[in-house]
Amino acid sequence: MTKNSEIRLLGTVASPYVNRVQFVCNLKSIDYEFVAENLACKSELLLTSNPIHKKVPVLLHANESPTCESLVIIQYLEEIKPDVHPIFPSAPAERANNRFWAHYIDNQFFPLYEKLRITQGKERKEAIKQEIIEGSIVLEEAFVKTSKGKAYFGGDDVGFLDVVLGCFLSWTYFVEKENKFKIFDEVRTPRLVEWTKRIWSHEAIKSVIPTNEIISEFYMMLQKYRPLGA
Amino acid sequence: MTKNSEIRLLGTVASPYVNRVQFVCNLKSIDYEFVAENLACKSELLLTSNPIHKKVPVLLHANESPTCESLVIIQYLEEIKPDVHPIFPSAPAERANNRFWAHYIDNQFFPLYEKLRITQGKERKEAIKQEIIEGSIVLEEAFVKTSKGKAYFGGDDVGFLDVVLGCFLSWTYFVEKENKFKIFDEVRTPRLVEWTKRIWSHEAIKSVIPTNEIISEFYMMLQKYRPLGA
């Protein structure tokens, strides 16, 4: 179905949303050309492919219109190559459960990392850390219910939610070090701690996860363009 | 597939997100019991069914776990009853296009109505009105591309995006009157003006669309609980 260079991915290696798409391409053995974007000086191709948001990732597939937004893209990849490593469960109620938690992760959980970065004042930062910890406990419960005692949200292997949450792991590690607290820990979130180790060493994922140096550099750029208190 | 009372919908008739689910139930001839919620005093059933957001709509289907979030619910309904009035196109690229615009409507366009409500000061309100008008032009372009010259986003009949945007029509009318400006008009958005008339008179939709009195009452409640400048 997919030949070399039939699919191009506009992205940057530090973006968790781009990493999601890379994970799914790897899981499904979809060849793609990675077109590196400089977010401080976006290409004409990016601006014309995603005029609404002007953001990565953008997927260009043969003669189709560009596909934007990471969750939209990975559902698209699932639909064009459903037989190789399906990332969604087949039961409608389980698929709904997956979509619900993806929405929670993208709209409530991960935005707290950015809120923590731009917030000033020790007390206000501590309050956000507490919100993140409460979110991690919610995610632990979601993991227990969704994985049904297996290794991943997706069961015996990586599925949709593993990709959706897994892309934030290197950011989690960075935010923990930067702010001197633990987000996932043995006491509060033991299952997610185990899951984290499995994700880090998974064949389709480990080559994509950005290094701490890459995250650090990206963080510096954020500080420059979207400063504290912005 | 669905018997009377096998499906219960927790909702309030003024909520556009609840209306979406009602539209799709009507389109697919899915019988359901409407369980009216008082948002000023939420039921135990709502709080336990949607502990994360504590919001309507919630769909309860037989022995399945509750399904929350309107977009998740309508995709679930599509998957449990795919053969009656499918709301998604079959081509993956078109499905991706539908999901992209749904995201735009929910995360960028409609939140501007609330932003307009809570913002004070004539100049700042005018700036938000301008943003809404720009958004309506973006949606007109999306309609032209997606409908391919047909009557609805979904082609010859109502589809996913017709439901997603259509649920905001009575709010649009209310916001226009309240703020003395036109959101969809003959000059800037002629195709959407025509589309609006079709949606208002569509069999599956017209009985669900809340009256101006219902919207007005709900707006008063919002003013009370989430006042200006909140």
Side-chain angles (χ1 to χ4, degrees), chain A residues 136-207:
Chain A
S136 75
I137 296 168
V138 167
L139 289 174
E140 175 83 359
E141 288 165 17
F143 182 84
V144 169
K145 281 188 201 156
T146 306
S147 65
K148 296 177 190 149
K150 295 189 173 173
Y152 297 99
F153 282 99
D156 291 322
D157 204 345
V158 165
F160 182 68
L161 282 177
D162 298 288
V163 166
V164 170
L165 185 60
C167 71
F168 295 123
L169 285 185
S170 43
W171 281 94
T172 298
Y173 184 61
F174 184 83
V175 169
E176 285 181 335
K177 284 210 303 179
E178 192 76 7
N179 296 279
K180 299 181 180 59
F181 79 125
K182 289 295 276 181
I183 297 174
F184 298 124
D185 83 356
E186 297 287 353
V187 177
R188 290 187 310 261
T189 63
R191 297 291 309 280
L192 283 179
V193 168
E194 285 301 311
W195 169 82
T196 300
K197 290 175 197 157
R198 282 184 214 110
I199 291 289
W200 278 104
S201 58
H202 193 286
E203 273 307 318
I205 288 179
K206 66 183 179 188
S207 63

Side-chain angles (χ1 to χ4, degrees), chain A residues 50 52-53 64 67-69 72 75-76 79-80 91-93 95-97 99-101 103-104 107-108 138, chain B residues 50 52-53 64 67-69 72 75-76 79-80 91-93 95-97 99-101 103-104 107-108 138:
Chain A
N50 188 0
I52 302 296
H53 305 299
E64 301 288 2
T67 305
C68 310
E69 304 268 352
V72 175
Q75 288 180 86
Y76 175 74
E79 291 178 359
I80 62 167
R95 295 162 72 90
N97 178 61
R99 290 192 175 109
F100 174 83
W101 287 113
H103 192 267
Y104 174 81
N107 293 285
Q108 295 201 232
V138 167
Chain B
N50 189 359
I52 301 297
H53 305 300
E64 300 289 1
T67 305
C68 311
E69 305 268 351
V72 175
Q75 288 180 87
Y76 174 75
E79 291 180 358
I80 63 168
R95 296 163 71 90
N97 178 61
R99 291 194 174 108
F100 174 83
W101 287 112
H103 192 266
Y104 174 81
N107 293 285
Q108 295 199 233
V138 167

Side-chain angles (χ1 to χ4, degrees), chain A residues 23-39:
Chain A
F23 293 165
V24 176
C25 284
N26 287 351
L27 289 167
K28 290 183 172 290
S29 302
I30 293 173
D31 286 325
Y32 64 98
E33 181 191 341
F34 189 88
V35 182
E37 279 291 329
N38 174 359
L39 299 187

Side-chain angles (χ1 to χ4, degrees), chain B residues 178-190:
Chain B
E178 192 74 9
N179 295 280
K180 300 182 180 59
F181 78 125
K182 290 294 278 180
I183 296 174
F184 298 124
D185 83 356
E186 298 286 355
V187 178
R188 288 187 311 260
T189 63

